[in-house]
Amino acid sequence: MSASADLLELETAPPATTTNQQGPTGTNNPRRVWALVVLVAVVVSAYSLGIGRGDLVNQGGWSMVRNFFAGALSPELNPDFLRITWDATLTTLAYASLGTALSVFIGLVFGVVVSQTWWGVGRRDGYGRGLIKRAGWLTSRGALGLPRGVHEVVWGLFLVNVLGLDPLVGVLAIGIPFGAVTAKVFSELIDETPKHAYDGLRSSGVGRVKAFAYALAPQAFPDLLSYSFYRFECAIRAAAILGIIGAGGLGYQLSISFSSLRYNEMWTLIYALILVSGLADLWSTTLRRPDRSRFLVSNEQVPGLRRDRFLNLSMLAFGVLAAVSAWHLQLDPATLWSQRARTLLAGIRDASFPLNLTVEQLSTLGRLALQTLAMSIVAIAAASALAVATAFVAARSQGGGEDPGPVRRLGSLGARALLLFCRAVPPPVWALLLLFVLFSGPLPGALALGVYNYGILGRLMAEVVENLDPRPVYALRAQGTGGVKAFFYGVLPLSLPRFGGYALYRWEVTMREVVVVGLVAAGGLGRLLQEQLSSFNYPGVVATLLTLVGLTIFADLVGSSIRRAIG
Amino acid sequence: MRNPIRRIPALLCILALFLGACSGGDTDASDTEEGIDNSAEGISIGAIPDQAPEKLQRLYGAVSEYLTAELGVPVDYVPVTDYTAAVGLFKVGDLDMVWFGGLTGVQARLQVEGSQAILQRDIDENFHSVFIANTASGLTPVDDVEGLSALKGKRFTFGSESSTSGRLMPQYFLGQAGVRQADFQGEPGFSGSHDKTAELVQAGSFEAGVLNEQVWKARQDAGQVDDSKVIEIFRTPAYHDYHWIARPDLIERDGGEFVERVKEAFTNLDPADPDQKEILDLFGANGFIETENDNYAEIEQIGRELGLIS
């Protein structure tokens, strides 16, 4: 199991055990029940979005799509535009790095505060079973659910209404929701860290804060750090999406060039996005490579633990990047407590309540919630199907085994480039492209999220394939089994459960992301939110946000039930 | 065990660096404006992004240069990405004066008590939308509003969702002709801007669309309209549209004298002066005239009927 797999799974649930590959066999096999539920859900969702019901494709739009892709060969390279692109790249990087820095800071503070260790609950030795302690842990943990359930873009739209056109909006919009996710993961990492030293210090009368700093922090530190770099990779994608709603940077320039249909300019910006996210992916993957996972085992004394130059350099580089970013954006934290921000915040609060929802509004919310659910399901079903097919091509090796040969290596390179392209282009841009050939409505939005998640899932699944246990295939091949059969019996059964885990993890994330495509009129609750924001219907905005948070919680619950069943 | 501990100070250094850099930015940015009451010397102007961004940049670049010279204070143009953002930034006070459409203007005034519509172009008190069609669609020019029922069953696109001439008034006239949103083939599109509507219809992506008359004329004059591919099929009855709206603090500045100078600067735009002529040409107007809030009561009423104003 790769380090990255661990870290991703941690975001939603404890890692599924991979020992029980067979599963129980019986009529009430929960796996089969869930498989049926998922199948029905996918079919119903697809049908509800109009698939199989005529009039979906706008035949007139193909020439626009052809023109767009033709631009790939001749990106705009005049010096003025390259300067704009360079500046936009710096801005996107700046939002991403400062957003990450903030989220790590929030994660460190709240990660400790919401950990079971801090509250002293969840221990089998009877120590700390108190009701109050438990309540404290649950409350602090539940409080993180709200910022986590709201997408970065929604944070951005909200903060613009309080802080105005200020670079802090971009930093906070990434930092707050990412901080909540990071806090959750950090708390779980802390709870998984061996407690002997901590207990020792505590029982000899050392305070909680000191015991944490001396006994737990040093052990958990490498894990925390490598997760932080994974967050940075995500933050670059988030910064690009935020640009589209006006925060500046590559996403902003991309939407400007798109609105005048300047495809050549768009491609220059897309190449810049591909470069930046490609490098960030590479950086974070290198840090998390399995051969670096010695950091992940930390309770035994390792006398010869080498200094990790790459890790140290990475930290230094990130520090420099964050400092340069703050200078580039000219951040002024004083805006946060300015008179204007307080007045505007109070104004929004007063305008938002009471909610006073009518039956009609509630039924609209219900209908759009179902549509949002359907969009997320179709998006992930399409993305997973494509990703599974691509993962085996994209993987550089299968189960760490034989030399792949030049053809496979070329195929792998091509597949990786395709996946990178799909995840580097922000979902709203995919939605606008799809709106050329599909009638507006929820379907182009769902497919846009599908394309984007295909890029993310394909890469994660390829990592799974690369890290597979090679022994079953060796055994099959040694018995003279053919390549195809060995694949179906030795590779596929081992990878599918982990693929399923990743698909679920992305589904939960997608539920939040549906909002993003709604902002370009591609359906779901995001579309409603956009309309409510443009008519300044604050009670409506609050109701829609609560519905979205509800959907996120629902997805988390269903996701963890399925994971338990297939685990 | 020793090494990981040593990294803690490194992490603290990063945080310190981060915080230090933030507070460094503090002094840099102190010359920008801080709150609503403390209005600085200069003013920020904005506009709804109804046309291609490079056009907006050229137009409002020229406008801010002209106003800076006329008013003697720095005037900055702040570009925004969508109609809602223009209203939002006007509301929070980042934009002091904005070129709004009819609908966004009403929305903005409802958000900022005391703001006023001050100026419009000569063409705006008699504004029209133009329905256009791709020649391959078989649509032909129609004589009256009722004739718009020919659009039923066609692939149709509006402009921005908050556009007066690209959505609100067209939807109102379509309603009079008995055409509902569901009567189009598929769902109607929202292209985002008037220029994009023209391009999408000309390319055949949509069979028909609607945009504001001034942008349509400007595209014709610029030779961007291919008559063999796209034709005008209907020009709507007249209504009030675009206008400049100023925030209350701008209205009250220097006891009301400042806003009078803004009005003069616009109404004095002279076609005989080549620089000023360029501004008028980019606005597609012969001149500016004063306007008032009451001119947009009809727009507000239609906006409420269509649920675009709550």
Side-chain angles (χ1 to χ4, degrees), chain A residues 44-51 53 55-56 367-379 427 430-431 434-435 438-450 510 513-527, chain B residues 186-188:
Chain A
V44 170
S45 302
Y47 183 78
S48 79
L49 295 191
I51 293 175
R53 286 189 293 156
D55 266 0
L56 292 173
R367 187 173 53 80
L368 288 177
L370 286 178
Q371 190 181 67
T372 303
L373 184 66
M375 287 170 75
S376 69
I377 291 174
V378 168
W430 282 121
L434 283 161
L435 281 168
L438 296 172
F439 287 118
S440 62
L443 186 64
L447 294 184
L449 288 170
T510 302
E513 277 174 349
V514 173
V515 146
V516 173
V517 292
L519 298 178
V520 293
L525 284 166
R527 171 88 182 268
Chain B
E187 291 198 33

Side-chain angles (χ1 to χ4, degrees), chain A residues 272-547:
Chain A
L273 266 178
I274 289 179
L275 192 70
V276 171
S277 37
L279 286 176
D281 287 4
L282 193 68
W283 191 5
S284 112
T285 322
T286 313
L287 269 172
R288 293 181 287 119
R289 264 214 316 265
D291 56 22
R292 314 177 69 82
S293 65
R294 59 178 179 277
F295 294 107
L296 298 176
V297 190
S298 37
N299 70 334
E300 43 202 308
Q301 292 281 334
V302 188
L305 192 65
R306 282 183 292 133
R307 275 191 88 86
D308 191 322
R309 283 250 164 80
F310 187 73
L311 195 72
N312 289 343
L313 274 178
S314 295
M315 274 174 31
L316 188 68
F318 187 80
V320 172
L321 187 64
V324 172
S325 299
W327 169 78
H328 176 77
L329 294 178
Q330 306 223 315
L331 279 194
D332 179 10
T335 319
L336 278 182
W337 43 87
S338 70
Q339 180 59 41
R340 186 180 84 170
R342 273 178 290 164
T343 313
L344 289 168
L345 191 62
I348 291 178
R349 189 195 56 215
D350 295 342
S352 301
F353 299 99
L355 285 182
N356 280 342
L357 292 176
T358 63
V359 177
E360 193 190 350
Q361 284 169 312
L362 280 175
S363 79
T364 308
L365 275 179
R367 187 173 53 80
L368 288 177
L370 286 178
Q371 190 181 67
T372 303
L373 184 66
M375 287 170 75
S376 69
I377 291 174
V378 168
I380 287 306
S384 314
L386 285 172
V388 169
T390 316
F392 295 104
V393 183
R396 272 170 293 228
S397 61
Q398 220 161 64
E402 312 142 45
D403 175 45
V407 180
R408 274 217 54 168
R409 235 179 267 146
L410 200 68
S412 152
L413 197 70
R416 271 157 195 281
L418 176 69
L419 292 170
L420 179 58
F421 171 60
C422 287
R423 66 177 181 268
V425 175
V429 173
W430 282 121
L432 288 171
L433 282 173
L434 283 161
L435 281 168
F436 281 150
V437 285
L438 296 172
F439 287 118
S440 62
L443 186 64
L447 294 184
L449 288 170
V451 175
Y452 176 70
N453 276 293
Y454 162 62
I456 296 173
L457 272 176
R459 158 159 180 259
L460 293 174
M461 290 181 178
E463 258 180 36
V464 169
V465 175
E466 282 170 12
N467 296 322
L468 276 185
D469 184 352
R471 286 171 301 185
V473 181
Y474 289 159
L476 286 167
R477 294 305 290 261
Q479 292 170 354
T481 316
V484 178
K485 273 193 182 159
F487 172 77
F488 276 105
Y489 288 95
V491 176
L492 210 53
L494 283 179
S495 18
L496 283 182
R498 297 207 59 83
F499 286 179
Y502 276 138
L504 282 173
Y505 153 68
R506 281 313 300 183
W507 176 57
E508 291 159 18
V509 177
T510 302
M511 196 63 101
R512 291 194 284 274
E513 277 174 349
V514 173
V515 146
V516 173
V517 292
L519 298 178
V520 293
L525 284 166
R527 171 88 182 268
L528 179 66
L529 191 69
Q530 169 77 340
E531 278 173 13
Q532 289 165 332
L533 283 169
S534 36
S535 54
F536 296 91
N537 175 3
Y538 287 119
V541 170
V542 172
T544 306
L545 285 183
L546 288 176
T547 314

Side-chain angles (χ1 to χ4, degrees), chain B residues 285-299:
Chain B
N286 296 313
F288 275 81
I289 53 177
E290 295 198 13
T291 188
E292 54 187 37
N293 291 353
D294 290 343
N295 285 340
Y296 310 94
E298 189 198 7
I299 299 269

